[in-house]
Amino acid sequence: MAESEVEVAQIRQLLRRAKPPADPLLLDQLLVTMLKLGPEVAELIPEVVIAINRGYEFSSSALVPVVAKHKSEVMLGAVLNKYGPKYLDISSKCQLFSAGFGQFQPDLLDYLRVSYDQDTDHLRSMIVVALGNSGTASVLQDLQDIRGLTSHRLSELESEDTQLSGMDQEIRSLHARCRRAFLRRLDEVVEIVKSRAECEPTSGD
């Protein structure tokens, strides 16, 4: 028995013999081990689905990377059915969308539309990167609008009265730096999505 086969067998037996509520740390460690295995781990996916349906409480931080890596619609369906849509936060949805689960594009766009102007929200950049990875042509208008609005607000920041107190000046500079970095990322992603859209078949093809 090869080493990888031994690990698969061990994980399978641990999943089968554990009873809810199983130790969450143990469950998460099993998923971390699965991420390190090769194609043979595919035979464990049905075992994880059974465990989810039995009521095992896997953390999203451990489970979502496994779903994303193996692009398992069956596993994702079990997650949503058992844990509900609130189990997946924006970060999880970004991972899944980047892996090809296109159903999360509307959720990511909805969040971006209300957060693009929040310089302290790191999730806006995470969403833009995910849209660059898997976004369809339909996101272009939103991205271009947000790019234009971000550029306009950056210009306003840079033209504001420079006779500010030290702390206010530092805060303004920080916002400007964050906005420039976000604008650069938007520029890159708009071009990526445009290029991908040009390769997408039209409805008449």
Side-chain angles (χ1 to χ4, degrees), residues 157 160-176:
L157 277 173
E160 285 175 359
D161 183 9
T162 57
Q163 302 303 313
L164 299 172
S165 67
M167 180 62 71
D168 289 339
Q169 181 67 33
E170 184 61 31
I171 291 173
R172 192 188 69 165
S173 297
L174 176 60
H175 279 283

Side-chain angles (χ1 to χ4, degrees), residues 15 17 22 34 67 89 92-93 96 100 117 134 147 161 197 204:
L15 286 171
R17 76 179 185 224
M34 285 178 63
V67 178
D89 59 14
S92 296
K93 290 176 181 179
L96 292 168
D117 203 36
S134 299
R147 179 175 64 177
D161 183 9

Side-chain angles (χ1 to χ4, degrees), residues 25-99:
L25 292 177
L26 170 62
L27 295 176
D28 285 358
Q29 187 56 50
L30 295 179
L31 295 176
V32 170
T33 302
M34 285 178 63
L35 279 174
K36 299 175 182 177
L37 297 174
E40 64 275 7
V41 79
E43 64 187 85
L44 289 174
I45 289 176
E47 302 291 343
V48 176
V49 170
I50 291 170
I52 291 170
N53 290 331
R54 287 177 63 191
Y56 287 22
E57 293 292 335
F58 295 100
S59 72
S60 61
S61 61
L63 184 54
V64 167
V66 176
V67 178
K69 178 180 179 179
H70 297 285
K71 305 182 189 299
S72 175
E73 292 279 1
V74 174
M75 195 182 298
L76 178 60
V79 167
L80 294 175
N81 288 334
K82 191 67 179 180
Y83 302 142
K86 291 184 179 180
Y87 178 77
L88 300 175
D89 59 14
I90 290 298
S91 176
S92 296
K93 290 176 181 179
C94 284
Q95 288 185 67
L96 292 168
F97 181 66
S98 292

